Amino acid sequence: MGKRRQVTPWLSDWLAENRRPRCGGMVLRAPAIVCGRGLQMSVQANRFCYCIPQRDTGPYRWVEVGFPNRKIREFLRYAEDRKNPKGTVYGYVPVAVVEKVINKYGGGQGVVHD
Protein backbone atom coordinates (compact mmCIF):
# COMPACT_ATOMS: atom_id res chain seq x y z
CA MET A 1 0.00 0.00 0.00
CA GLY A 2 1.24 3.46 -0.91
CA LYS A 3 2.02 6.38 1.33
CA ARG A 4 -1.08 8.12 2.73
CA ARG A 5 -1.70 11.65 1.53
CA GLN A 6 -2.11 14.53 3.89
CA VAL A 7 -5.70 15.81 3.85
CA THR A 8 -6.10 19.21 2.25
CA PRO A 9 -8.09 21.18 4.82
CA TRP A 10 -10.27 23.49 2.74
CA LEU A 11 -13.05 21.02 1.85
CA SER A 12 -13.52 19.91 5.47
CA ASP A 13 -13.51 23.56 6.52
CA TRP A 14 -16.05 24.41 3.81
CA LEU A 15 -18.34 21.59 4.95
CA ALA A 16 -18.15 22.75 8.57
CA GLU A 17 -18.95 26.35 7.60
CA ASN A 18 -21.77 25.64 5.13
CA ARG A 19 -23.78 22.78 6.60
CA ARG A 20 -27.23 23.50 7.96
CA PRO A 21 -29.50 21.30 10.10
CA ARG A 22 -32.15 19.29 8.22
CA CYS A 23 -34.65 16.62 9.20
CA GLY A 24 -35.56 18.21 12.51
CA GLY A 25 -31.99 19.26 13.20
CA MET A 26 -30.74 15.68 13.12
CA VAL A 27 -28.70 15.79 9.90
CA LEU A 28 -26.23 18.45 8.83
CA ARG A 29 -26.37 18.96 5.06
CA ALA A 30 -24.28 21.28 2.91
CA PRO A 31 -25.65 23.11 -0.12
CA ALA A 32 -24.49 22.11 -3.60
CA ILE A 33 -21.15 23.50 -4.73
CA VAL A 34 -21.14 25.62 -7.90
CA CYS A 35 -17.85 25.82 -9.80
CA GLY A 36 -16.69 28.63 -12.07
CA ARG A 37 -17.14 26.56 -15.23
CA GLY A 38 -20.70 25.51 -14.45
CA LEU A 39 -20.24 22.24 -12.57
CA GLN A 40 -22.72 21.76 -9.72
CA MET A 41 -22.61 18.86 -7.29
CA SER A 42 -23.50 17.88 -3.78
CA VAL A 43 -20.60 17.14 -1.41
CA GLN A 44 -21.63 15.72 1.94
CA ALA A 45 -19.98 14.26 5.01
CA ASN A 46 -21.76 13.31 8.22
CA ARG A 47 -22.66 10.23 10.26
CA PHE A 48 -25.20 9.11 7.63
CA CYS A 49 -23.00 9.54 4.52
CA TYR A 50 -20.49 7.44 2.64
CA CYS A 51 -17.52 9.24 4.18
CA ILE A 52 -14.56 8.62 6.47
CA PRO A 53 -14.65 9.42 9.26
CA GLN A 54 -18.38 8.73 9.39
CA ARG A 55 -19.27 11.44 11.89
CA ASP A 56 -20.60 14.98 11.92
CA THR A 57 -17.17 16.64 12.25
CA GLY A 58 -14.05 16.39 10.12
CA PRO A 59 -11.47 16.61 8.92
CA TYR A 60 -12.55 14.07 6.31
CA ARG A 61 -10.37 11.85 4.14
CA TRP A 62 -13.25 10.57 1.96
CA VAL A 63 -16.61 12.23 1.28
CA GLU A 64 -19.88 11.52 -0.51
CA VAL A 65 -20.52 13.28 -3.82
CA GLY A 66 -23.93 13.29 -5.42
CA PHE A 67 -25.87 14.27 -8.49
CA PRO A 68 -23.34 16.31 -10.47
CA ASN A 69 -24.87 18.16 -13.41
CA ARG A 70 -22.41 16.49 -15.79
CA LYS A 71 -20.49 13.25 -16.10
CA ILE A 72 -17.21 13.49 -14.18
CA ARG A 73 -14.72 10.86 -15.28
CA GLU A 74 -12.70 11.12 -12.05
CA PHE A 75 -15.74 10.06 -9.99
CA LEU A 76 -17.01 7.10 -12.04
CA ARG A 77 -15.15 4.39 -10.12
CA TYR A 78 -17.01 5.48 -6.94
CA ALA A 79 -20.51 5.54 -8.51
CA GLU A 80 -23.41 3.53 -7.13
CA ASP A 81 -24.92 3.53 -10.65
CA ARG A 82 -22.37 4.00 -13.42
CA LYS A 83 -25.13 4.00 -16.05
CA ASN A 84 -26.63 7.16 -14.54
CA PRO A 85 -23.64 9.41 -13.76
CA LYS A 86 -25.72 12.56 -13.19
CA GLY A 87 -28.35 10.85 -11.05
CA THR A 88 -26.31 8.82 -8.61
CA VAL A 89 -24.28 9.03 -5.43
CA TYR A 90 -20.52 8.52 -5.35
CA GLY A 91 -19.38 7.03 -2.06
CA TYR A 92 -16.04 7.31 -0.31
CA VAL A 93 -14.47 9.69 -2.83
CA PRO A 94 -11.03 10.87 -1.67
CA VAL A 95 -11.03 14.54 -0.67
CA ALA A 96 -8.01 15.12 -2.91
CA VAL A 97 -9.99 13.88 -5.94
CA VAL A 98 -12.97 16.13 -5.12
CA GLU A 99 -10.74 19.16 -4.66
CA LYS A 100 -8.92 18.38 -7.93
CA VAL A 101 -12.24 18.25 -9.80
CA ILE A 102 -13.46 21.48 -8.19
CA ASN A 103 -10.24 23.23 -9.18
CA LYS A 104 -10.39 21.74 -12.71
CA TYR A 105 -13.85 23.29 -13.16
CA GLY A 106 -12.86 26.77 -12.02
CA GLY A 107 -12.92 26.45 -8.24
CA GLY A 108 -15.82 26.78 -5.85
CA GLN A 109 -17.65 29.97 -6.81
CA GLY A 110 -20.87 29.64 -4.85
CA VAL A 111 -23.57 27.39 -3.49
CA VAL A 112 -27.12 26.35 -4.36
CA HIS A 113 -29.51 25.98 -1.44
CA ASP A 114 -32.51 23.70 -1.88
Side-chain angles (χ1 to χ4, degrees):
M1 186 175 241
K3 182 179 170 184
R4 291 181 130 180
R5 284 189 196 189
Q6 182 64 33
V7 176
T8 309
W10 82 262
L11 189 56
S12 286
D13 291 345
W14 183 88
L15 284 166
E17 292 169 12
N18 287 282
R19 289 190 295 194
R20 300 291 179 259
R22 302 221 3 165
C23 301
M26 199 170 88
V27 178
L28 295 176
R29 185 160 181 258
I33 293 175
V34 179
C35 296
R37 292 178 37 208
L39 173 65
Q40 292 184 25
M41 63 183 166
S42 172
V43 178
Q44 304 296 325
N46 61 54
R47 61 190 153 167
F48 301 108
C49 290
Y50 299 123
C51 64
I52 294 177
Q54 197 169 24
R55 62 180 187 221
D56 290 339
T57 58
Y60 299 98
R61 292 184 52 78
W62 293 273
V63 294
E64 178 180 302
V65 175
F67 312 101
N69 64 345
R70 61 185 69 172
K71 181 178 177 180
I72 305 297
R73 183 184 55 80
E74 293 90 339
F75 293 159
L76 288 178
R77 68 184 288 188
Y78 308 101
E80 277 190 345
D81 181 0
R82 289 182 186 203
K83 293 179 182 178
N84 187 15
K86 295 192 295 183
T88 194
V89 172
Y90 301 82
Y92 303 104
V93 182
V95 165
V97 172
V98 176
E99 290 181 347
K100 180 180 173 186
V101 167
I102 290 169
N103 289 331
K104 176 180 173 179
Y105 284 90
Q109 302 294 313
V111 298
V112 175
H113 295 276
D114 55 8

